[in-house]
Amino acid sequence: GGTILDDALSFDIFSQAAQAVRSPAGLDPMGGLRVERVIAMGWSQSAARLSTYHNSIHPLAGVFDGFLIVMGGGVAGQLRTDLDVKVLRLLSESEIAGSHGGVSQLREMDSDRFRRWEV
C-alpha cells in the first residue's frame, strides 16, 4: 500500500541527506556555512551498514569524501580497495581479540586511501 515498514530505503536516505548538506536546494541545513567535505561515520552496527554502503552504494552515489568506520564492520565488512575515497577504520581490542580467527581479514593493509587504527 505504498508504506515501507523496513529499512529498504535507508541507504538512499543516507545519500540524500549527504547531498542536501553538500548542495542544498531550498532549506539550507548548514545555515549558510560552506561545506568543504562530507564524511560518513558509523559506529558498531552502523559501521557494518556503512561498510556495505561504502562497497555497494558509494560507487553509484559518490556523495561522500571520506568514511569513518568505528568499532564494527567485522570480517563481513571487508572494504573494496578500488574506490577513490578516503577511509579510516578504528578498531578496539575487542574486535581484534574477538574476531574468531579473522584477524588477518580485519587487518587490511594501509594505503594512500585507507588507514586502520587499533586502540
Side-chain angles (χ1 to χ4, degrees):
T3 301
I4 298 173
L5 301 175
D6 60 14
D7 62 354
L9 296 177
S10 63
F11 292 135
D12 188 49
I13 292 168
F14 198 51
S15 295
Q16 287 186 36
Q19 189 60 38
V21 169
R22 181 179 296 286
S23 303
L27 180 65
D28 180 359
M30 299 305 293
L33 295 173
R34 190 175 74 108
V35 175
E36 293 182 16
R37 290 176 195 84
V38 181
I39 300 172
M41 189 266 193
W43 187 291
S44 192
Q45 180 181 356
S46 297
R49 297 213 18 105
L50 188 57
S51 295
T52 299
Y53 183 97
H54 171 273
N55 290 340
S56 302
I57 308 302
H58 180 74
L60 304 171
V63 294
F64 291 102
D65 299 301
F67 289 82
L68 174 57
I69 300 172
V70 182
M71 293 179 57
V75 174
Q78 192 73 13
L79 298 172
R80 289 175 60 163
T81 59
D82 62 333
L83 303 179
D84 190 22
V85 65
K86 306 271 184 176
V87 178
L88 173 60
R89 182 187 295 267
L90 179 61
L91 299 170
S92 73
E93 64 185 46
S94 297
E95 281 87 35
I96 300 302
S99 62
H100 308 292
V103 172
S104 62
Q105 291 182 1
L106 284 175
R107 289 188 166 148
E108 298 147 290
M109 297 300 298
D110 285 349
S111 71
D112 61 337
R113 291 176 293 211
F114 177 82
R115 290 289 186 271
R116 181 197 70 254
W117 287 358
E118 297 177 13
V119 292

